[in-house]
């Protein structure tokens, strides 16, 4: 138990600094190739950067409306219609946020109350559970079934009870790279029917899906959609994670509550980038092509690692490749990642960090959203182990 001065009663006494911050700092300190924190090293599209600069010069530098610029919200609604066939109302059902993580936090703070139970499928992105705790709710951890990181729906049915307020899903999934199938969404749809459960669907990797698979959004299922908040991120789509901009769709009644929180967390998101993104959303071949670009990187990295002692797990989506290091050592995954960074010059994320109980399956996560020459160098180093 950490010690606190008497004037502090920590709301998250066991919470440390995120593993992404920790590993990126370690990578920088030791000048290692950073395949830990998930971010692309390709440049944001030049035309998009020029648009941001142009809008700044033109004077688009004051507060945007609290929920986001209507121009951008209209473009996003058109995109959702085109991709998933659903018509959201731009005024009342879409909110521009400071990245996906803030949308998730605002949603949980707005909709989870004291003692509400929230089902989190683990391994899980690290912001979900602390947000639930801060809202006064109780995270309930449901283990995905290895090695596919799939959902056992019969077990899920038994897991749900009268206090279940929310289920958080993440598709494509960080960190495992698994994706949900039509059947998965149909099961979820059945489970939710007739129950007062909200679905928070984190779909920030929607465009990173491989081998011809289609992204199954909750938006495709009318009953699910009517009770879902769906979160997206521009950072992953336009190589601009540092701009911290994302958005969420939700039916009006849910959006109304989310905005009550959003307005006091950040009030609104910066104006020139919203203008630029709204213009750039017309360039649909950019996002439609992402799956080809990343599939090539995934395959390139896997091939380069084929002679290593690592065993790669299937990656069907996202820009993360899981690898088992059972054949190398039995040490715990955090220590192994530290050693990998310091001694071998490649940083990765230990998967136990995505588990509440720090389950250690001797699996680590590499981010392959990197230039080929970087992946090549990293693979060379990893093959030497
Ligand atoms: N989503 C990214 C990841 O999983 C990083 C997010 C963060 O650093 N907070 O690596």
């Amino acid at each position: 138990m950490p010690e606190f001065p008497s004037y502090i009663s920590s709301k998250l006494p066991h919470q440390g600094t995120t593993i992404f911050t920790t590993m990126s700092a370690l990578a920088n300190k030791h000048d290692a190739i950073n395949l830990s924190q998930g971010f692309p090293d390709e440049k944001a599209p030049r035309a998009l950067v020029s648009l941001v600069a142009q809008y700044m010069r033109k004077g688009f530098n004051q507060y945007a409306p609290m929920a986001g610029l209507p121009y951008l919200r209209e473009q996003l609604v058109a995109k959702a219609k085109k991709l998933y066939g659903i018509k959201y109302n731009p005024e009342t059902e879409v909110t521009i946020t400071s990245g996906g993580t803030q949308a998730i936090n605002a949603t949980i703070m707005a909709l989870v109350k004291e003692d509400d139970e929230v089902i989190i499928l683990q391994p899980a992105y690290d912001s979900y559970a602390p947000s639930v705790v801060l809202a006064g709710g109780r995270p309930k951890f449901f283990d995905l079934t290895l090695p596919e990181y799939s959902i056992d729906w019969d077990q899920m049915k038994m897991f749900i009870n009268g206090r279940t307020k929310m289920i958080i899903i993440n598709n494509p999934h960080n960190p495992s790279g698994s994706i949900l199938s039509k059947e998965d969404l149909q099961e979820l749809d059945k489970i939710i029917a007739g129950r007062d459960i909200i679905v928070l669907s984190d779909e920030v990797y929607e465009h990173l899906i491989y081998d011809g698979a289609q992204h199954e959004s909750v938006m495709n299922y009318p009953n699910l959609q009517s009770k879902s908040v769906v979160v997206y991120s521009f950072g992953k789509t336009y190589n601009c994670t540092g701009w911290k901009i994302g958005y969420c769709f939700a039916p009006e009644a849910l959006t109304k509550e989310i905005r009550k929180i959003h307005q006091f967390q950040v009030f609104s998101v910066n104006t020139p980038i919203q203008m630029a993104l709204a213009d750039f959303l017309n360039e649909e071949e950019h996002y439609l092509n992402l799956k080809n670009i990343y599939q090539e990187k995934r395959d390139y990295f896997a091939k380069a690692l084929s002679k290593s002692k690592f065993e790669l797990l299937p990656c069907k989506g996202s820009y993360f490749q899981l690898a088992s290091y059972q054949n190398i050592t039995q040490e715990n995954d955090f220590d192994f990642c530290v050693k990998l960074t310091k001694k071998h010059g490649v940083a990765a994320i230990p998967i136990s960090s995505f588990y509440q109980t720090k389950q250690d399956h001797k699996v680590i996560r590499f981010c392959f959203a990197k230039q080929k020459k970087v992946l090549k160098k990293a693979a060379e180093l990893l093959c030497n182990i």
Side-chain angles (χ1 to χ4, degrees), residues 135-329:
R138 295 184 191 178
K140 291 277 161 188
F141 296 97
F142 180 90
D143 284 351
L144 292 171
T145 310
L146 272 57
E148 298 283 335
Y149 293 88
S150 56
I151 304 173
D152 181 328
W153 288 104
D154 289 333
Q155 270 189 28
M156 179 63 88
K157 275 175 212 150
M158 295 191 294
F159 210 67
I160 286 171
N161 65 50
R163 285 187 303 279
T164 308
K165 182 74 210 172
M166 180 182 278
I167 300 179
I168 305 179
I169 59 169
N170 176 205
N171 177 36
H173 184 251
N174 178 10
S176 75
S178 66
I179 57 173
L180 296 180
S181 65
K182 261 199 178 59
E183 291 69 34
D184 287 315
L185 271 292
Q186 283 163 358
E187 289 287 353
L188 183 62
D189 195 24
K190 269 194 263 164
I191 284 186
I192 299 303
R195 288 192 165 99
D196 288 334
I197 297 178
I198 296 162
V199 174
L200 170 53
S201 186
D202 175 353
E203 302 185 10
V204 299
Y205 300 103
E206 69 178 320
H207 298 304
L208 310 186
I209 182 154
Y210 312 124
D211 309 315
Q214 289 294 316
H215 173 58
E216 285 295 326
S217 174
V218 288
M219 289 183 189
N220 292 336
Y221 301 79
N223 171 48
L224 260 181
Q225 182 275 335
S226 71
K227 292 175 183 170
S228 291
V229 180
V230 201
V231 173
Y232 294 104
S233 155
F234 289 110
K236 281 84 182 163
T237 306
Y238 297 110
N239 300 339
C240 58
T241 58
W243 293 359
K244 289 302 298 175
I245 176 162
Y247 52 102
C248 63
F249 289 107
E252 183 170 350
L254 291 171
T255 294
K256 222 169 145 181
E257 295 306 311
I258 293 168
R259 288 183 186 171
K260 289 180 190 173
I261 302 293
H262 167 77
Q263 65 184 343
F264 297 125
Q265 286 184 326
V266 294
F267 181 62
S268 66
V269 173
N270 82 78
T271 307
I273 293 180
Q274 290 194 59
M275 289 297 293
L277 283 167
D279 281 352
F280 205 71
L281 271 165
N282 294 322
E283 311 274 336
E284 60 181 44
E285 61 289 351
H286 173 88
Y287 60 78
L288 294 178
N289 203 22
L290 283 175
K291 53 180 181 296
N292 302 322
I293 295 173
Y294 281 103
Q295 183 169 318
E296 210 183 303
K297 287 184 192 292
R298 177 198 69 172
D299 294 345
Y300 180 83
F301 188 51
K303 187 152 183 255
L305 283 177
S306 59
K307 293 216 165 62
S308 76
K309 292 199 184 110
F310 289 95
E311 266 176 59
L312 304 188
L313 279 71
C315 164
K316 296 179 176 170
S318 82
Y319 44 46
F320 301 118
Q321 174 66 63
L322 293 194
S324 159
Y325 61 89
Q326 296 266 24
N327 297 337
I328 299 172
T329 168

Side-chain angles (χ1 to χ4, degrees), residues 7 13 31 73 85 112 115 155 246 279 310 325 353:
Y7 51 87
D31 214 10
R73 286 187 273 144
V112 174
D115 295 333
Q155 270 189 28
D279 281 352
F310 289 95
Y325 61 89
S353 308

Side-chain angles (χ1 to χ4, degrees), residues 84-145:
Y84 306 116
I86 167 141
K87 179 87 185 79
Y88 280 102
N89 181 331
E91 264 179 52
T92 56
E93 298 186 313
V94 52
T95 308
I96 313 299
T97 60
S98 183
T101 304
Q102 188 240 323
I104 289 163
N105 184 260
T107 299
I108 294 171
M109 294 309 274
L111 301 167
V112 174
K113 283 173 127 168
E114 198 80 11
D115 295 333
D116 282 344
E117 292 188 2
V118 176
I119 296 182
I120 295 175
L121 288 73
Q122 62 175 7
Y125 183 55
D126 67 344
S127 86
Y128 303 158
S131 294
V132 171
V133 171
L134 287 173
R138 295 184 191 178
K140 291 277 161 188
F141 296 97
F142 180 90
D143 284 351
L144 292 171
T145 310

